[in-house]
Amino acid sequence: MQPSPPNEQPAPPLDSGLSGLAEGWASRGAASGRSRSRRPVPGYGGQLAGRRLLRQQLRLGRRGLAIGIDIGGTKVAAGVVDAEGHILREARRSTPGSDPRAVERVIVELVEELSAGARIRSVGIGAAGWMDLDGGTVLFSPHLAWRNEPLRENLQHLLRRPVMLVNDADAAAWAEWRFGAGQGQDRLVCITLGTGIGGAMVMDGHVERGRFGVAGEFGHQIIMPGGHRCECGNRGCWEQYASGNALGREARELALANSPVAQELLKAVDGSPERITGATVTELAIAGDAASRELLEDVGNWLGLGLANLAAALDPGKFVIGGGLCAAGELLVAPARKAFARNLTGRGFRPAAEIDLAALGPNAGLIGAADLSRASSRTHR
């Protein structure tokens, strides 16, 4: 059984900002030629607020079980999550290629397996990509062949219970705000360091997704004009300097130069530099290899610089750093804090955001997806 996370996040005040999805529904209604009236999804989306809606959210969010599903490029992880963020039961499958129907079948299998003997209120699904503001349609997903896919409608028909879609970084940020390292923060920014850099914001009790629902692409701020080419097409994106891929690339270059300081790196991969990854460097750094620690420090410096840029724009109270690269712990975060303090606009004359590691680990996405679906299940029942 999953270890219990810290105590549940206290309920936001009744006048805090709530998410609403009126614009998303209005645009869909206009496109279909008919008017549709829906209540907004609590905790997720735009700006529509109301005291009665918030009370409904809080009452609903305190009871019942939900299933959270985190769809990655290689695996689909699922779990039954209670109202305090505890995972009671888990299951996993391999991601079945890119066929949308095959992915739907895997989701149905996981829900049927996990719901046996339990009363499941709702299902939340987190995946990389862009969702519409209503949380019903996957506009684009990099791992799967989802393009304007009405996934919630398809799955609600198959599962006979409320379903909500959410970006995986948004789901993880919500989980950290509710149950993890972001508790008590009214302006929280979460950064996920993996092959690239993901991000999300929880502001005044709701996930802030921007006007078009695609906020949080922090990894693609240009931090070095003319720098390394990014998969997005630009040059010099932050994730080309402060991600797991960046760490692996720099280590491979060091090894290919036959540097004497790279001997431990080469030994770890049997002399094949092309096999060096960010995980390789992280493991060696934890074990004490000086070259690997220096490479991690370089990545931490770039991380801190990017966080200083975000602080200038967003002014959060805390940054929470998660993702696979955070296995390095303070070897990564300590240099990031120093670089952040050195590059922060107005340093010495303003309060500075805290920088902490995420508390919930790799299960944050499914915990957050389940919790958001529970809070919104009355909306889309």
Side-chain angles (χ1 to χ4, degrees), residues 267-291:
K267 188 186 300 184
V269 293
D270 299 322
S272 302
E274 68 278 2
R275 292 173 52 199
I276 297 173
T277 65
T280 308
V281 182
T282 300
E283 290 172 8
L284 287 173
I286 293 171
D289 178 55

Side-chain angles (χ1 to χ4, degrees), residues 41-208:
V41 175
Y44 195 63
Q47 298 175 351
L48 189 62
R51 286 176 178 268
R52 184 166 64 179
L53 178 60
L54 182 55
R55 291 191 185 100
Q56 290 173 350
Q57 172 196 358
L58 298 179
R59 286 198 300 271
L60 189 58
R62 294 295 186 270
R63 65 180 187 272
L65 301 177
I67 290 176
I69 299 176
D70 187 7
I71 302 174
T74 60
K75 69 178 183 302
V76 181
V80 177
V81 183
D82 68 15
E84 284 73 47
H86 305 134
I87 299 178
L88 308 180
R89 189 182 301 167
E90 296 181 75
R92 293 174 184 268
R93 297 284 192 282
S94 296
T95 303
S98 59
D99 177 26
R101 303 289 84 78
V103 176
E104 288 178 13
R105 288 193 293 271
V106 165
I107 292 171
V108 171
E109 288 176 10
L110 286 167
V111 172
E112 289 179 347
E113 176 182 336
L114 292 172
S115 60
R119 183 177 180 181
I120 303 299
R121 178 174 295 278
S122 58
V123 177
I125 298 170
W130 296 339
M131 316 298 168
D132 69 351
L133 284 171
D134 176 57
T137 299
V138 184
L139 303 177
F140 168 80
S141 177
H143 300 313
L144 304 162
W146 284 337
R147 305 292 186 269
N148 294 309
E149 183 74 24
L151 188 60
R152 184 178 65 206
E153 181 178 343
N154 297 347
L155 288 173
Q156 285 187 158
H157 174 73
L158 294 169
L159 297 174
R160 305 295 182 182
R161 52 171 55 91
V163 173
M164 184 178 185
L165 308 181
V166 57
N167 173 271
D168 55 354
D170 289 344
W174 180 259
E176 291 291 343
W177 180 76
R178 284 271 282 146
F179 311 112
Q183 292 185 87
Q185 296 294 321
D186 57 6
R187 298 186 69 81
L188 176 70
V189 172
C190 290
I191 305 295
T192 304
L193 304 177
T195 55
I197 296 179
M201 302 173 284
V202 180
M203 304 295 189
D204 299 321
H206 72 274
V207 178
E208 177 54 63

Side-chain angles (χ1 to χ4, degrees), residues 311-348:
L314 302 173
D315 191 27
K318 178 181 276 193
F319 290 101
V320 169
I321 314 298
L325 192 53
C326 287
E330 288 298 312
L331 293 174
L332 174 73
V333 175
R337 291 193 186 104
K338 291 179 181 178
F340 175 77
R342 188 168 60 247
N343 292 283
L344 182 63
T345 301
R347 54 193 175 276

Side-chain angles (χ1 to χ4, degrees), residues 356-377:
D356 281 335
L357 291 167
L360 301 180
N363 286 324
L366 72 86
I367 293 171
D371 196 62
L372 282 165
S373 77
R374 184 188 298 108
S376 66
S377 61

Side-chain angles (χ1 to χ4, degrees), residues 218-232:
F218 302 138
H220 297 289
Q221 60 168 309
I222 295 176
I223 204 164
M224 176 61 76
H228 292 292
R229 176 71 73 180
C230 183
E231 293 178 1
C232 75

Side-chain angles (χ1 to χ4, degrees), residues 241-254:
Y241 298 87
S243 66
N245 275 1
L247 181 62
R249 182 194 65 231
E250 293 298 305
R252 288 191 296 273
E253 290 183 5
L254 187 65

